[in-house]
Amino acid sequence: MILLDIVSSTADINIYILIIAAVLILVIAGYFFWAFKRKTYKLINKHVNIDPVSGYGNFAQFTDNAEIMLKYKDLQYAIGVIDISNFKAINDFYGRVQGDRVLKSIADRIHDIVMPDGIFTRMFADRFVFMINFLDINSLTYIIETYFEDIEFEIEELNEIIRINCNCGIYVVEDYNEDVNMMIDKASIASKLSKRSISKMVTILDNNINFDITRKQKLTYKMSKALNNHEFVPYIQPKVNFRDGRIVGGEALVRWMSPDDGMIAPNDFIPLFEQNGFVNKIDFYMLERICSMIKKRSEWGRYTVPISVNQSRVHVYDSMYINKLINTFDKYGVSKNNIVFELTESAFTENTDDMIELIRRMAQLGYHISMDDFGCGYSSLNMLNLLPISELKLDKNFLADESEKSRYIIKSIVNLAHGLGISIVCEGVETSEQADFLMRIGCDIAQGYYYAKPMPMNEFEKLLDGDISLMR
Ligand code: C2E
Ligand code: MG
Ligand code: MG
């Protein structure tokens, strides 16, 4: 009996030992598994969060950390954008490997400036952004200038020293709840201003620029709704025949009638719309409004004249542009002789090949093209040779300048246009002296406040219906 008890208690002990051993094995295995997972996660995380070129944290990590820093609202922060002015040339000339080495050295310099009070990253290409807690903005500017002005970089393999120039834009954070990307945009705008300036390496965004950005944001926010609400209104300015003062055409000019801000002039929103692409919609909206007026007048048997519509240069990037033109003309059944497309001269000289191709296709299809603001850009004379242009509009600044030289240039351009069989319109005619001079040199058509200012469409139609001479 006693023997049996001893045997059974030994078996119990063995089972306990077995259980304890199993638990121990499980705990140890679990620990190793956890440690392995942690190491792998760290490795993956490192690769995900590290910019391979600079070797420092990437943009995602930067924005995460910036948001954390901005929670400490009693500190003052500056966001800075730094880019290398001549980086493309360095990359093209010395190759990508040297280019990457330059980027790494710039990253190291930024690291030296911002650590331990800030963070930084390379956003893309040669563009870096940093955020730093600072006490005195002048000292910060001074430090950046000393670190980044005229950097000498040695290319050992070639035994050569190259100079690197950087520019920097700084935005001092005011609203700590603002989106970090918005703050970076503001610093980027300041850095673009530095790029344009020869004397200033660092530009701090001031209230005026900030005001402009806020205004742009406001307009961008409102534009789509404004289009639906018909806040964009076509005005038309008559084009007048010099000899008898009769209206021979008109130019459609957009106005934004904002219920909050009153009438906004196109120069205050067209450049913005060219940047954000909305100009495509505006230009087609204007074209539709004009086509619809012409259709209505011809259905009612009323006299019509060709109307010019301004077309932005950005249409060159829209592969569907010509199709959209064809569809619009088909929709209203308007003849191509009723519309003239005005493209500003600079559009002809930028992006030349694509623009030449577009204008040629438009002309082949029978559309009429006018070169607007002729004389204010460069190298467009050759375009007259290359392109089938039906009208030249002489830039109004020529007329405003009353010097002998300017008068001589106008006369020569009028002769040139006539020689090439292109009709010429003089813009910005404001006085009887200017009108007399233009008439004497044989200019065909005038447009300007001296004859009539841009007016709402119905007023322009009344002028057409009255067959009134605008001769003074
Ligand atoms: P633009 O096409 O060169 O238009 C002529 C500008 O000169 C118009 O300014 C017109 O009001 C102004 N003007 C006419 N006569 C005189 C004058 O005697 N003296 C002076 N000082 N100015 C005169 P506006 O209407 O402010 O338009 C400015 C520019 O905005 C236009 O220049 C054109 O480039 C652009 N724009 C206007 N409407 C549109 C549009 O629907 N689409 C596009 N893409 N651009 C447009
Ligand atoms: Mg125009
Ligand atoms: Mg013009």
Side-chain angles (χ1 to χ4, degrees):
M1 212 42 202
I2 292 167
L3 192 72
L4 266 176
D5 274 356
I6 290 171
V7 169
S8 93
S9 69
T10 322
D12 280 352
I13 290 167
N14 280 344
I15 288 169
Y16 285 138
I17 290 173
L18 269 175
I19 291 170
I20 290 167
V23 169
L24 265 175
I25 288 169
L26 273 175
V27 169
I28 293 167
Y31 171 76
F32 277 114
F33 182 64
W34 173 79
F36 172 75
K37 246 180 91 175
R38 207 176 120 96
K39 206 172 162 192
T40 320
Y41 175 77
K42 268 190 174 169
L43 209 69
I44 294 171
N45 208 26
K46 187 177 167 200
H47 280 289
V48 170
N49 283 324
I50 295 293
D51 163 38
V53 175
S54 68
Y56 296 101
N58 68 6
F59 188 64
Q61 198 181 61
F62 174 84
T63 45
D64 287 351
N65 291 339
E67 276 161 19
I68 295 169
M69 282 170 77
L70 286 165
K71 290 199 174 113
Y72 298 91
K73 296 190 178 17
D74 46 346
L75 296 176
Q76 234 188 336
Y77 295 110
I79 295 237
V81 165
I82 292 187
D83 71 24
I84 307 171
S85 320
N86 49 344
F87 185 66
K88 192 176 176 314
I90 296 171
N91 231 0
D92 288 350
F93 200 77
Y94 296 100
R96 222 193 145 91
V97 173
Q98 295 299 346
D100 283 358
R101 283 188 52 217
V102 168
L103 292 173
K104 170 79 181 128
S105 83
I106 297 291
D108 290 341
R109 275 170 192 259
I110 303 179
H111 176 269
D112 290 350
I113 290 185
V114 302
M115 289 302 168
D117 300 315
I119 51 172
F120 78 100
T121 187
R122 188 176 70 103
M123 279 200 286
F124 55 84
D126 60 327
R127 186 158 273 230
F128 294 84
V129 60
F130 65 82
M131 177 165 157
I132 191 168
N133 154 230
F134 71 98
L135 292 175
D136 173 36
I137 195 74
N138 292 329
S139 318
L140 177 65
T141 310
Y142 178 75
I143 294 170
I144 295 170
E145 277 169 353
T146 12
Y147 261 78
F148 289 97
E149 222 155 34
D150 245 349
I151 302 169
E152 289 191 345
F153 182 83
E154 193 183 351
I155 300 187
E156 281 167 23
E157 296 87 330
L158 303 172
N159 203 11
E160 239 185 84
I161 290 182
I162 54 173
R163 284 196 184 288
I164 299 164
N165 299 308
C166 294
N167 51 69
C168 173
I170 289 184
Y171 168 63
V172 175
V173 176
E174 283 166 12
D175 175 3
Y176 286 61
N177 297 318
E178 195 176 21
D179 183 41
V180 175
N181 287 303
M182 199 66 88
M183 296 179 186
I184 297 173
D185 283 351
K186 290 179 178 177
S188 297
I189 290 170
S191 94
K192 276 184 202 137
L193 296 176
S194 282
K195 211 170 202 167
R196 279 189 227 140
S197 151
I198 311 167
S199 54
K200 264 167 91 181
M201 191 240 135
V202 180
T203 301
I204 300 168
L205 192 84
D206 67 20
N207 278 343
N208 285 343
I209 312 170
N210 204 0
F211 174 77
D212 193 45
I213 299 170
T214 319
R215 193 188 64 86
K216 282 184 177 164
Q217 284 168 347
K218 221 170 83 185
L219 296 184
T220 310
Y221 175 74
K222 289 180 176 176
M223 61 193 187
S224 297
K225 206 166 149 212
L227 185 60
N228 291 336
N229 290 348
H230 301 283
E231 288 173 29
F232 293 101
V233 177
Y235 268 42
I236 302 185
Q237 185 177 30
K239 284 174 162 181
V240 177
N241 183 327
F242 269 115
R243 278 177 291 278
D244 54 14
R246 290 191 61 188
I247 298 173
V248 288
E251 176 176 11
L253 295 156
V254 64
R255 303 287 180 260
W256 183 347
M257 303 296 185
S258 159
D260 309 323
D261 306 311
M263 185 167 100
I264 311 175
N267 285 337
D268 291 334
F269 59 86
I270 292 287
L272 168 70
F273 290 179
E274 288 190 328
Q275 280 167 16
N276 64 26
F278 198 67
V279 76
N280 284 309
K281 292 207 167 133
I282 292 295
D283 282 359
F284 273 94
Y285 176 77
M286 291 287 285
L287 179 63
E288 292 223 13
R289 293 289 305 268
I290 296 302
C291 285
S292 136
M293 178 192 89
I294 292 170
K295 179 179 182 229
K296 181 195 77 186
R297 290 187 67 83
S298 57
E299 278 172 2
W300 291 358
R302 290 198 182 145
Y303 168 62
T304 57
V305 286
I307 305 289
S308 302
V309 288
N310 288 285
Q311 295 292 285
S312 165
R313 71 199 74 196
V314 306
H315 296 298
V316 81
Y317 304 108
D318 178 4
S319 57
M320 294 306 286
Y321 176 63
I322 291 203
N323 286 356
K324 287 194 235 166
L325 284 187
I326 296 172
N327 290 344
T328 312
F329 276 73
D330 285 352
K331 178 173 165 192
Y332 293 92
V334 165
S335 152
K336 285 167 189 151
N337 294 332
N338 285 134
I339 304 280
V340 177
F341 291 104
E342 282 192 14
L343 273 142
T344 160
E345 184 194 36
S346 55
F348 290 83
T349 47
E350 293 161 9
N351 208 310
T352 320
D353 291 344
D354 292 340
M355 190 51 94
I356 290 178
E357 176 61 27
L358 177 69
I359 305 280
R360 282 209 173 123
R361 279 193 62 208
M362 285 174 73
Q364 273 163 9
L365 292 166
Y367 295 107
H368 296 280
I369 315 286
S370 167
M371 198 190 270
D372 202 357
D373 306 327
F374 183 78
C376 73
Y378 317 94
S379 70
S380 45
L381 279 181
N382 195 33
M383 292 294 150
L384 296 181
N385 185 24
L386 290 172
L387 292 171
I389 288 162
S390 30
E391 179 189 271
L392 269 192
K393 288 189 92 172
L394 194 69
D395 186 46
K396 55 178 172 285
N397 289 323
F398 271 116
L399 212 52
D401 175 358
E402 291 180 346
S403 69
E404 273 302 304
K405 271 189 187 169
S406 195
R407 292 284 182 261
Y408 183 75
I409 293 175
I410 296 177
K411 207 169 146 187
S412 310
I413 294 176
V414 170
N415 285 338
L416 175 82
H418 282 160
L420 294 168
I422 300 174
S423 116
I424 181 140
V425 179
C426 260
E427 272 191 304
V429 183
E430 290 183 349
T431 64
S432 60
E433 290 75 35
Q434 290 172 340
D436 288 345
F437 163 73
L438 291 167
M439 221 179 316
R440 263 201 325 274
I441 62 166
C443 188
D444 310 317
I445 300 160
Q447 186 182 330
Y449 297 166
Y450 179 64
Y451 295 98
K453 287 195 168 175
M455 58 190 81
M457 273 162 97
N458 61 343
E459 283 181 29
F460 178 76
E461 286 195 70
K462 272 188 214 153
L463 282 184
L464 281 187
D465 290 339
D467 197 14
I468 294 164
S469 163
L470 295 176
M471 191 77 128
R472 297 254 203 134

